[in-house]
Each structure stands twice: as C-alpha cells, then as structure tokens.
Amino acid sequence: MSARLRTELWIKIKRCLETTKLPESLNTALRSLNLRLDNPTGEFLFSLPVKTKDYDIRNAAENLVGIVKPDDFFSGIAIRREKHSENLLFFLNRERCIKDIVESEPHSVGITDEDYSSHKKILVEYSSPNIAKPFHVGHLRSTILGNYIANINDYLCNDVKRINYLGDWGTQFGFIQLGIDSLNISDEQMRQDPIRILYKAYVHANKLGETDPSISETARKIFNELESGVGGELEKWETFRRYTVDELTKTYKRLGINFHEYNWESNYKAKDISEIISRMESQEILKTDREGRRVIALSEERSIPIMKSDGSTLYITRDIAAAVDRFDKYKFDNMYYVVDNAQTDHFVTLSQILDKMGFPWSNKIKHIKFGRIRGMSTRKGSAIFLKDIMDETQVVMKEKQIKSPNTKVELDCGSETTDILGISAIIINDLKQRRLRDYVFDWDKALDVKGDTGVKLQYVHCRLTSLEENSGAKLPEKCDPSVLNEPIIGQLVLEIGKFDEAILRSHQEFEPCILVNYLFSLSHTINKGLKILRVKGEPTDIGSQRLLVFHAARNILAQGMKLLGLQPLNKM
Ligand code: ARG
C-alpha cells in the first residue's frame, strides 16, 4: 500500500543521494508524498509540491531528476507545473503498483513505516459519564471518538490503555444519598435499574431542596462524611457503582466499546491523595485564601482552589491525583482526554498545575476536545440515557428496513442486524463531522442508505460479500495485472492504496472525518466498479482477477469500518 511504496521510494532516493547528504527539507517533504493517477494517461505516480510554507526542495528536486534512474518499480521522474503548484513527480510502474496494492494485507501488521509506529504507551480516557446523572450526547461523542482514537493507535502498533473515568464523587452525592433514604429505595430496586434509580434519587433530593434550604446543608455534610470515610455509607456506594458498571457494560457492548479500566473519581478522595498535597506544600505553591480554601496561584490574578475549607476535594484536585497516579503506573508517552469543548479551561488549568508541580511529563497530556451535538433525543423528546438513544435507533432503523426493497434479512424482534445498522449510522454520522464543529442530529439523514452514512458503508460491504459468494469466480492466489487494464481498475486500486495516507493524516490531526470521507470515496469507486466490471460470466482469469481487486477493496473497507468502531455486516 502507499506507505510501503513510499518507503521503498524513499530508500531508493536515499541510495541515489548516498554521496550527497539527504537535505533535511527533502527528508521532511518525502513524508507527505501523495499517490495519484496521472491525467490523462492513468499512470500511477507520487507527487510532491516543490515548495510549500514548510519547505523548499527546488535544488534537491532538480538534482534528483538528473541522478535517479528508472527501474522495474519506478519508471521516471519529472518536475511539472500543474494547476496550483509546481510538483516533483515520481512515476511508478503500473503493473508493479497494482500487484503490490492488491496483494497487501490490510490487517496483518498495520503500517510498518517506522516513523509512525513507534510502540508508544498511549492512554486514552473516554466516555467518562457521571453516575446518577444522564449520560448525555457529549458522553456519547466522547465514547465514539475515544474508541476511534484508541483503535487507530492500536492499529499503528502502539500500546494502548483504554480508561473510563466515572464521575461518582462530589457534593451531588450527598443529594443522592439523601434521595435514596427519603425514597426508601431497597438494594434490590437499585440492582434492577441502577442508572435510572440513582438519577431518580438525585432529582428527588433536588426537588426537596427547592422548598427546604436545609437540604443542601445536609447533603454537603453527608458528602463530607463520605469523603472522610466516617460512617458506613462507603460500602453501599461501592455496591451501587458495581451495579452501574454492570449495566453500562451491557450498553457499551452493544456499541462495540470496551475498556481496560474503569477509574473512579472517588479513588482520589481526600484521604487518598495526601502525598500530592504534601508535595504541593513542600513546594510552597499551596496557599490558604480568605474563605479558608487551599489554593494554587497560577498567576497574580488566578488562583485555583484545590481543597475546600471543610477539607473535601474538587474535580480538578481529583484530576491532578489521577494524572499522577496514571503516570506512575503506566509511564505513558501520551495521555488523551476525550472530553467536550466545554471543559477546555479545566484541562488547560490541569496541565498548568502539573507543570507548576514540576512534572516533566505535563506536556504529554492532551485534551482532545469536540463540539456539541444538538437535537439528539428520542422522538418523544426524552433521551437522557445512552440505552434510550440506542433503543430509539433500533426502532427507527427497523422502520426503514421494513420499507426498503433491498432488505434481505429476517426482521425478527431485537434483530442484531438492525442494532448493528443503527449503531453504524450513529457512529458515522458523528465521525464524519469535523471534530470541533457543533452539528445538528437528524434521524432521517443519519440513517439514509443513499446518503453518506454508516448504513451506506454497510450496504457496499454487503454487496462485495455477496459478489464473492455468488459470482461463481474463484479468488486467485496471485494478482495478474496484465488482465487488469480498464481505467476503472486503476481508479479502484488507487483508492485502495490511499488507505494508509488517510489513516496517517487522520491520526496526526485527530480527525476521524478524514478516514470517513476516504471510505465514502472508496465506496463510491467500488459502486462505480461494480457497475462497469463484470465478474460473473467472464473468462475465468479475467473474472477471478477482477474479483481479487474487489476482494482487496472489501478488506480495506472492512478494516476502515472496524477502526471507526463498526462491525461490518455480510447481509442486511
Ligand atoms: N465525568 C465528567 C463529566 O461528565 C467528564 C470527565 C472527563 N475526564 C476527566 N479526567 N476530567 O463532565
């Protein structure tokens, strides 16, 4: 695929330039070679602008044209003025290119370009809902996006830890405890439906608080007791948390999401973080403010509270402790927090404090932020929990399947296919947006089989599977490019080859939409290919060679879908 071809080209150029040292600018530039087809000859080529804002390789390029000799891989080199820029072009041998791309395995080792896969230790924290509060669409987006970031790092051979950091701590938990007592909720009731019951208790206590001002005071006291470990309530909390995780895990499973670790804010309560506080104290960065809170001064005007006057912790305090704990445990090269835009200030503050505390790794943490989804609720207007959104998706999807003449599966109740299709639609609808943009959710658009949707990617995948099962042609072991002469084959092979470019760019920019758009473009070319190229009824060698090209396309489509969090279907 393109990354391998690119490496091969790069090695060749390096060899040609052995005597002259490879100029740094050229070295950088060669990382961004793009595979494309020449117009109108249809030759494969790598193209590179001679000059961009980051580099200028005019001299080196002119030199290269003189010394790089064609061989069986690489058929020529030229500098050519094209529409927008002047480009250095490396023409590749068509047959060699097709063979290489069609025969390569997409899922064996990932990209072997050593520049990208450096076996880094990567922590990705995502989803991170709060217990007893709605799992809102921001958490959904974090879940989908975080899963993708973890997947792509896995694919690039990094060592990835997936962490879900659940909010189970803070004054609101005093309210919840109060609500549970006041509603007389039994352990059995809690076990049956923990997420809803905890929420109900929270809402109930808040209502009480509206008319009775002493409620907040009591809630604060209860929480303070919890935090300092007085009273026997802590154990009960642990049970509620276990129920909640059991239920969340079921829903995550439907979404195809898993975690290596569930972390809790309550792991970092006052008595667990004394070391951190001592460190701040010995560094003399902790002061007491007029209200009796312990604060860190980040500048003359900006002080951040770390401990309340009653000794309880704050959200930021627990994040400081969690980051230190994770670094001690994993020595990560990078840690990503996949959390919505609204918490930008929080994460800026977090890294400033870690820096102030003298942790050399404070620059290794990164907030992967994203915009809001608007308008995502069930049609009754009531989606507050992830499970509701998923159930609604299934209902809407099923209605569409019933109406569609292309439906080939049995639509029994709770059909797995329907669930997978609906979830694919939700995921792609989200990941096709630029990460930082807010977007408006629309059920019809998201689930449309004709639009650029997850349903369409599934549909194209099903078509390719069906071709392999029903064309009568047999998949050959080797690619024979001599019978693959049609221009559409060049286009399809090019699309397949560009997978690596899409992956790398998407990874560098933390933008799944780059991969999603690539898959739409691949699907479009596959559909075009299916229209033009017959497999069934063609002479054996031609039919089976064409099938091999479609097979390679299907592998890539499936690989891309899996990275995005989709489970490719064979029939729908
Ligand atoms: N539970 C938080 C919320 O729902 C998000 C947690 C984000 N991660 C973190 N390390 N602070 O707002």
Side-chain angles (χ1 to χ4, degrees), residues 499-561:
F499 180 63
D500 297 355
E501 285 169 27
I503 291 284
L504 293 178
R505 264 189 53 225
S506 170
H507 171 62
Q508 279 157 358
E509 297 176 27
F510 296 92
E511 279 294 1
C513 71
I514 294 174
L515 180 58
V516 175
N517 285 327
Y518 161 79
L519 291 183
F520 287 148
S521 162
L522 173 68
S523 298
H524 176 79
T525 313
I526 291 172
N527 275 337
K528 206 164 132 191
L530 286 170
K531 229 183 249 159
I532 301 177
L533 296 170
R534 278 206 332 202
V535 174
K536 202 172 181 167
E538 290 293 309
T540 319
D541 55 338
I542 297 182
S544 61
Q545 286 297 326
R546 288 179 179 175
L547 188 65
L548 185 63
V549 177
F550 283 121
H551 176 73
R554 176 166 86 104
N555 276 342
I556 289 292
L557 178 61
Q559 179 64 63
M561 288 165 77

Side-chain angles (χ1 to χ4, degrees), residues 125 128-130 139 165 167 265 315 319 337 339 343 346-347:
E125 188 219 274
S128 308
N130 299 320
H139 297 122
Y165 179 64
E265 280 191 41
Y315 182 47
D319 254 325
Y337 295 95
V339 184
Q343 298 200 25
H346 172 77
F347 286 104

Side-chain angles (χ1 to χ4, degrees), residues 1 68 85 104 110 127 187 202 218 220 230 256 260 271 289 307 310 382 459 480 493 498 500 502 505 509 525:
M1 281 194 292
V68 183
S85 60
S104 56
S127 199
D187 192 56
Y202 178 62
T218 318
R220 204 162 311 127
V230 192
H260 293 110
K271 74 176 173 54
D289 75 356
M307 282 281 184
D310 65 5
S382 62
Y459 178 67
D480 173 8
V493 172
K498 285 175 80 67
D500 297 355
R505 264 189 53 225
E509 297 176 27
T525 313

